[in-house]
Amino acid sequence: VNGNFSNDQKQPGIPIYESKMNYLDQRRMFKKTQIKNERLLKFYKKVSSEPSLNHEKYIFLPLHYQPERTTNPLGGYFFKHERVIKMILECLPEDWFLYIKEHPRQFSKGNIRYGNHGRSESFYTKFIKTKRIKFVSLNLDSHQLLDNSLGVATISGSTGWEAVARGKNTLLFGHAWYRGCEGVHFIESKNDIEKVFELI
């Protein structure tokens, strides 16, 4: 309550109990978020590509919309994508890649209440110089990416369940409801990842 946090339901820079945000202030904040999301989408389009899905071995990692409960609290220690990405990279065989696809709603113009806190350009710039990572275009069909992959990695997203239904191995970092299904491998350490990669 006393924290000076950012939220579109209160005036910036003051505690929520002292806020007297009016309608025009809120619309200005919404517009500011829309502009930020448009800029972020342009940046993602610039750093993403449309690789040929039949020529490389890869693990598919679709990002979650954030903030959302599928990462926090269901992700536990792995509520940050950065932790998942770094751990996978440390175990990834030399000729494999990590294909990362952003959640399209992260750039939404209509659903902007919280997404502007979930991602920034710095998230992408941390990884774009890593040769084994490819940010893939939003134009690529997620089911095609899934079907051509060696496996799917997710914190607790629905893509993990889609992978189960399609007979793919799922590296699950969070506490999803389908955790006990065949082909789902609950990940707590690098050793768990290495075992799944050996199995694949």
Side-chain angles (χ1 to χ4, degrees):
V1 172
N2 295 319
N4 181 17
F5 60 93
S6 177
N7 188 280
D8 66 1
Q9 301 298 297
K10 75 173 189 69
Q11 292 171 297
I14 60 173
I16 194 166
Y17 58 83
E18 292 180 2
S19 175
K20 295 180 174 64
M21 178 181 279
N22 60 40
Y23 177 76
L24 288 176
D25 289 337
Q26 190 180 51
R27 296 314 301 171
R28 280 191 210 100
M29 194 171 286
F30 270 47
K31 188 63 181 175
K32 186 178 177 183
T33 301
Q34 283 180 326
I35 292 168
K36 180 185 174 184
N37 284 357
E38 287 171 6
R39 191 184 311 122
L40 201 58
L41 176 57
K42 283 180 184 177
F43 185 80
Y44 184 79
K45 286 180 176 178
K46 192 166 83 171
V47 301
S48 63
S49 61
E50 295 190 22
S52 175
L53 303 183
N54 299 316
H55 294 120
E56 291 177 333
K57 299 174 183 176
Y58 66 90
I59 298 295
F60 176 40
L61 173 63
L63 299 180
H64 290 252
Y65 173 81
Q66 287 185 302
E68 194 179 58
R69 72 180 180 90
T70 54
T71 51
N72 190 5
L74 293 182
Y77 172 78
F78 294 106
F79 76 96
K80 287 188 174 183
H81 284 109
E82 291 93 328
R83 291 178 179 171
V84 172
I85 293 168
K86 286 176 181 175
M87 192 176 279
I88 292 174
L89 278 178
E90 289 172 5
C91 305
L92 205 62
E94 286 185 13
D95 59 338
W96 291 19
F97 291 85
L98 182 61
Y99 282 15
I100 301 174
K101 184 180 180 185
E102 184 56 275
H103 196 292
R105 286 185 66 197
Q106 199 67 49
F107 308 115
S108 173
K109 290 183 180 181
N111 184 35
I112 60 170
R113 286 197 57 188
Y114 308 109
N116 60 314
H117 304 299
R119 211 84 78 232
S120 65
E121 287 185 13
S122 64
F123 172 83
Y124 308 113
T125 53
K126 283 177 193 171
F127 300 110
I128 54 177
K129 291 183 180 178
T130 306
K131 293 180 180 178
R132 316 264 309 283
I133 288 179
K134 293 188 178 181
F135 286 101
V136 298
S137 169
L138 295 173
N139 296 327
L140 282 176
D141 181 69
S142 291
H143 291 121
Q144 283 187 324
L145 281 161
L146 195 160
D147 288 339
N148 286 279
S149 71
L150 296 172
V152 170
T154 184
I155 298 173
S156 67
S158 58
T159 309
W161 168 243
E162 291 170 359
V164 169
R166 293 165 113 85
K168 291 282 182 179
N169 284 290
T170 299
L171 288 82
L172 181 67
F173 290 82
H175 300 275
W177 63 269
Y178 53 82
R179 177 175 161 181
C181 290
E182 184 178 344
V184 177
H185 309 274
F186 184 59
I187 306 298
E188 294 182 286
S189 66
K190 285 166 54 177
N191 187 47
D192 295 329
I193 298 176
E194 287 166 356
K195 285 179 181 177
V196 180
F197 286 171
E198 286 174 17
L199 177 67
I200 293 172

